[in-house]
Amino acid sequence: MRVSLLALSMLAVAAPAVAQDDDPDARAAATIDQMEPAERTILTHGIMALPLGEDFALPEDGVLGAGYVPGISRLDVPSLRETDASLGVAWAGGARKDRATALPSAVAMGATWNPELMRRAGEMIGGEAHAKGFNVLLAGGINLMRDPRNGRTFEYFSEDPLLSGVLGGAAVTGIQSQHVISTLKHFALNAQETGRHFMSANISDAPARESDLLAFQIAIERGDPGSIMCAYNRVNQDYSCGSDYLLNQVLKTDWGYRGWVMSDWGAVHKLADAIHGLDQQSGEQLDERVFFGDMLGSKAASDPVYARRLTDMNHRILRSMYAVGVDRFPAEKAKIDWEANAAVARETAQQGIVLLRNVKDALPLSATARTIAVIGGYADTGVLSGGGSSQVLGEGPAVSISMGGSGPFAGFMSQSYQKSVPLNAIRERAPDAEIRFRNGRYITDAVEAARRSDVAIIFATQWMAEGLDVPDLSLPNGQDDLIAAVAAANPNTIVVLENGGPIVMPWLDQTAAVLASWYPGGEGADAIASILFGEVNPSGHLPVTFPANVGQLPRPVLPGSDMIETNFLGKGEEGQTLDVDYDIEGSDVGYRWFARQKEAPLFPFGFGLSYTSFSHNDIKLADDGLSATVRLTNSGKRAGADVAQIYLISGPWGSSRRLLGFERVELGAGESKSVEVSFDPRLLAQWQDGAWVRPAGKYRIALGKSAIDFGPEATITLPAARWTGGQMK
Ligand code: BGC
């Protein structure tokens, strides 16, 4: 550890003394030179900028939101004004009721497989944050979905390191283009909420590097985020925010990350976390004490190790501020183009909706259907959103149902619906139809309406929230029974899921069609209806495996679910632990686990139907084995988008499943295109003895429609190589 600390402090010292306008390191060093001793801990800690207690006073230049770190006006260093999160400017449990555009949940964004759209979505929410006075967006949730019961599944992109890394990096690029610093979070292995403040994610180095850490690494390379937020949980017993392995070794030394590590809110346990690589204590009211203020200052006055570390902490924070331009492009109240922003939210929702089943062309609905029963899911009121700090609810929810929370965080613990009404969106598109709404509380009533209608559309909801995992993957409140009964009464039953993540579907075979719309955001109703009526051709593909049952998961019983009361703040008893063994699946997360176990999922990763059909004709690998040219044809009668998904199916080490690269392609009816898809070379390698090593031998590679459905294949023999200086040599 001493070696890495020395290297870090040398980085800071090596910067030239004279600040050049555009060199963030030089500027950071020059600012630090001018700091008075008392100013040296101003940037290293901050508050939660929400009225948590009666004595709360918002600082003069503060903005109500997740966090505030004072600036140093004498040195023209602005304060950091932080808001959650990846889906837009969060409503902070009701503290903010000014308007904000809600993107669909991150899993919906994952289902777009569209990095360019993610960049635009990031640009949109970054722009909105800036126009509300924020210069930090606590976005970039890219934990892998190791356990689909994780209550924050909806906040993450996917179960795959490449897909998550590429999309996460693109979102960060978009956000930071607006001079708003983005985080990537929660570093790392924060795969369940049960016991989140003390559970230990136990995993060996190689599988961690090849999975969850690889997602962060790719996103950092592509997006260059100003900050990384460490997680609540422990990794191999050490708290993430005090993990020398994660912060000093992996992030700062091995990856050469130059920005700063901020803590999650209430995740700092001791002053020495600074030595282990933490640069800033956030939301300090939630910790036992303020470690990174006076306590850090006085320690640094007497201990040269802390003194050097404090310089490095300031350097990292300032360099990110200068690199992103938060001082030169100050975040101030400005006008927001709501219509343009809504269009981005709508397009994201549309591209993220996944058509999972469509029997006998039940969809798209014809505008001439005479009678439609719309059932359940508060479809007459709004669309569901996920609970917790990431929740964006504009001026407030259409309806909010308490899920048992109390105190200042009760707003987070309620099932809240966006003001975007599916029933209205359906009515607009079928003006001549007789449309009957039933709330679905009574099966008899819903069945009766379905029986008398040409089509029945059931809206089914799976609410998820930060701080709370789901115990299993069923639809709660008897919705599985409701769907089965309605489908038995009407063969044209269409299920629209508003789901946080995977669910099981005991009724699947009885239905005509199923759409996963996730939490579709502020324009969700319109997006759903545009797909139902065929204005938009569905193109979403699952970013996560839907298991047939929880028995197929690496841990059939959710660890800790039998012993722990979880909530936002539940830090557990003194010394409480919960060990979770992630070496069971190792780097074989999601579809890779299913392939290894030879288990058939309900729906595989990468799966998604369309109203047209695509054929996959060709695959040709480049001589270096680092890209493939594939030919895709739209063999149907409508324009649509396909995703070229390239998978490794075996390597010299044996059978394998890895997404190597992907490309979303728009194709007109009858059109063919050849596209070149490049691979991340690390996915053809293994982490061995501190390096990415590609063994010599045969690699079998296929173009897939999903992680289990392969078309054309090719095999290539590659020489041994190592990843050095960003290249395989
Ligand atoms: C969450 C973070 C969030 C922070 C600030 C925490 O509870 O884990 O994702 O950014 O609160 O609201």
Side-chain angles (χ1 to χ4, degrees):
M1 187 189 70
R2 283 192 177 272
V3 176
S4 61
L5 269 178
L6 189 69
L8 294 173
S9 57
M10 279 167 61
L11 250 186
V13 175
V18 182
Q20 283 144 23
D21 267 4
D22 51 356
D23 179 350
D25 285 302
R27 292 190 63 204
T31 302
I32 292 168
D33 271 353
Q34 296 171 56
M35 278 183 175
E36 303 286 348
E39 288 167 338
R40 290 170 61 85
T41 54
I42 292 178
L43 300 177
T44 54
H45 66 110
I47 57 164
M48 184 157 198
L50 289 173
L52 295 184
E54 275 166 17
D55 53 350
F56 174 77
L58 187 69
E60 207 181 311
D61 67 337
V63 185
L64 268 187
Y68 173 84
V69 178
I72 309 169
S73 53
R74 190 181 73 79
L75 301 177
D76 294 327
V77 177
S79 58
L80 292 174
R81 298 173 304 266
E82 304 168 329
T83 177
D84 286 301
S86 304
L87 319 183
V89 177
W91 87 310
R96 297 190 66 89
K97 293 220 175 73
D98 53 334
R99 197 170 167 184
T101 306
L103 284 170
S105 53
V107 60
M109 299 194 234
T112 69
W113 295 59
N114 188 342
E116 170 51 23
L117 182 58
M118 285 312 93
R119 192 197 52 74
R120 281 197 281 130
E123 193 177 280
M124 185 278 277
I125 58 174
E128 241 176 62
H130 197 265
K132 288 172 182 289
F134 293 107
N135 52 19
V136 179
L137 194 54
L138 307 170
I142 62 159
N143 290 103
L144 294 193
M145 298 166 182
R146 258 180 198 272
D147 195 313
R149 293 161 297 195
N150 178 6
R152 301 188 87 169
T153 299
F154 75 94
E155 285 191 61
Y156 301 135
F157 288 108
S158 86
E159 67 187 17
D160 180 76
L162 180 72
L163 185 58
S164 294
V166 169
L167 297 181
V172 169
T173 304
I175 293 165
Q176 295 197 156
S177 73
Q178 303 303 298
H179 309 293
V180 171
I181 293 168
S182 180
T183 56
L184 282 175
K185 66 187 188 185
H186 307 86
F187 193 63
L189 292 142
N190 190 181
Q192 67 169 53
E193 290 295 276
T194 302
R196 71 172 180 172
H197 284 281
F198 51 84
M199 71 79 88
S200 180
N202 299 332
I203 188 167
S204 319
D205 185 42
R209 304 257 189 174
E210 291 174 3
S211 58
D212 300 64
L213 298 181
L214 183 56
F216 279 93
Q217 190 179 10
I218 293 172
I220 290 170
E221 288 162 359
R222 290 174 173 249
D224 197 10
S227 184
I228 301 292
M229 186 192 293
C230 50
Y232 286 127
N233 57 284
R234 304 173 195 241
V235 171
N236 299 329
Q237 308 306 331
D238 290 336
Y239 284 109
S240 298
C241 290
S243 165
D244 185 61
Y245 163 70
L246 283 179
L247 308 183
N248 282 337
Q249 189 181 320
V250 174
L251 178 69
K252 293 180 176 178
T253 305
D254 295 349
W255 299 350
Y257 178 65
R258 294 176 301 170
W260 91 91
V261 179
M262 68 165 74
S263 73
D264 200 341
W265 274 230
V268 186
H269 298 271
K270 52 185 189 310
L271 179 61
D273 289 350
I275 300 299
H276 298 145
L278 180 64
D279 299 303
Q280 190 180 55
Q281 180 177 11
S282 314
E284 63 197 20
Q285 306 98 308
L286 302 184
D287 286 320
E288 205 180 284
R289 59 181 293 183
V290 180
F291 299 101
F292 283 18
D294 293 345
M295 199 176 171
L296 175 62
S298 42
K299 184 79 177 161
S302 63
D303 183 333
V305 175
Y306 274 87
R308 275 200 300 277
R309 186 65 192 100
L310 185 54
T311 301
D312 182 49
M313 290 155 89
N314 276 301
H315 187 94
R316 289 171 171 279
I317 298 166
L318 285 165
R319 101 163 291 283
S320 285
M321 292 171 79
Y322 295 142
V324 177
V326 300
D327 60 327
R328 282 169 294 158
F329 304 91
E332 283 160 1
K333 276 230 171 320
K335 241 181 115 203
I336 291 170
D337 185 344
W338 297 108
E339 251 177 62
N341 290 1
V344 177
R346 188 178 316 119
E347 191 180 347
T348 308
Q350 286 167 333
Q351 290 195 19
I353 291 175
V354 183
L355 179 62
L356 292 171
R357 177 177 168 87
N358 193 16
V359 178
K360 291 194 218 125
D361 294 332
L363 289 177
L365 287 174
S366 100
T368 56
R370 282 170 304 124
T371 46
I372 304 175
V374 177
I375 298 165
Y378 291 85
D380 60 335
T381 308
V383 289
L384 188 57
S385 62
S389 57
S390 67
Q391 194 162 38
V392 182
L393 281 170
E395 289 154 329
V399 67
S400 196
I401 302 142
S402 168
M403 299 306 282
S406 61
F409 289 96
F412 288 125
M413 279 296 152
S414 58
Q415 186 171 319
S416 295
Y417 287 76
Q418 304 278 359
K419 290 176 179 155
S420 175
V421 184
L423 186 61
N424 296 351
I426 291 170
R427 284 206 164 111
E428 271 167 36
R429 285 164 175 88
D432 301 326
E434 193 186 324
I435 297 180
R436 326 189 152 103
F437 177 72
R438 295 291 187 276
N439 61 25
R441 290 181 60 218
Y442 286 92
I443 290 181
T444 321
D445 174 45
V447 162
E448 179 272 335
R451 188 172 287 131
R452 290 190 293 117
S453 304
D454 295 334
V455 179
I457 308 175
I458 306 190
F459 285 81
T461 57
Q462 178 210 33
W463 181 70
M464 281 187 157
E466 178 184 343
L468 195 71
D469 296 322
V470 293
D472 60 43
L473 300 178
S474 64
L475 288 171
N477 299 336
Q479 293 177 95
D480 282 327
D481 293 341
L482 173 72
I483 297 171
V486 167
N490 188 329
N492 291 323
T493 292
I494 292 154
V495 180
V496 178
L497 299 168
E498 292 174 16
N499 49 328
I503 59 155
V504 292
M505 305 182 197
W507 33 260
L508 181 65
D509 292 346
Q510 293 168 257
T511 60
V514 179
L515 281 182
S517 79
W518 318 105
Y519 303 143
E523 298 299 312
D526 208 49
I528 291 169
S530 71
I531 300 261
L532 287 175
F533 286 88
E535 288 157 28
V536 172
N537 195 348
S539 62
H541 290 262
L542 292 181
V544 56
T545 304
F546 277 42
N549 58 68
V550 290
Q552 293 179 320
L553 298 174
R555 285 158 293 279
V557 176
L558 182 75
S561 53
D562 51 346
M563 52 175 270
I564 291 160
E565 299 299 326
T566 321
N567 62 44
F568 258 72
L569 301 175
K571 291 198 174 179
E573 306 295 316
E574 180 68 34
Q576 190 167 2
T577 54
L578 170 64
D579 284 299
V580 183
D581 181 6
Y582 288 142
D583 276 332
I584 294 176
E585 73 277 31
S587 55
D588 289 329
V589 177
Y591 65 90
R592 291 170 51 161
W593 168 256
F594 276 72
R596 182 167 118 186
Q597 297 299 105
K598 300 190 172 49
E599 288 279 349
L602 181 63
F603 290 107
F605 175 85
F607 179 81
L609 301 172
S610 162
Y611 297 151
T612 186
S613 50
F614 298 99
S615 57
H616 289 174
N617 317 103
D618 256 337
I619 182 165
K620 193 175 174 309
L621 297 175
D623 292 345
D624 63 2
L626 293 180
S627 66
T629 304
V630 294
R631 194 159 179 81
L632 310 177
T633 302
N634 180 345
S635 43
K637 295 200 176 66
R638 280 168 177 263
D642 192 11
V643 178
Q645 306 169 33
I646 315 281
Y647 293 92
L648 176 69
I649 48 184
S650 69
W653 54 81
S655 169
S656 215
R657 258 336 154 268
R658 295 179 185 183
L659 181 70
L660 297 176
F662 63 92
E663 190 79 42
R664 185 178 186 278
V665 187
E666 303 268 358
L667 290 164
E671 192 184 359
S672 290
K673 272 187 197 163
S674 285
V675 283
E676 195 189 338
V677 182
S678 53
F679 309 157
D680 190 304
R682 285 163 289 195
L683 290 161
L684 292 171
Q686 290 167 310
W687 183 263
Q688 266 171 15
D689 305 325
W692 292 101
V693 178
R694 187 182 70 195
K698 275 195 181 155
Y699 292 81
R700 211 173 120 210
I701 291 169
L703 171 60
K705 292 200 165 177
S706 74
I708 63 171
D709 181 6
F710 302 117
E713 294 187 15
T715 300
I716 189 165
T717 303
L718 294 172
R722 284 170 87 85
W723 177 259
T724 341
Q727 281 182 328
M728 265 302 172
K729 288 189 212 156

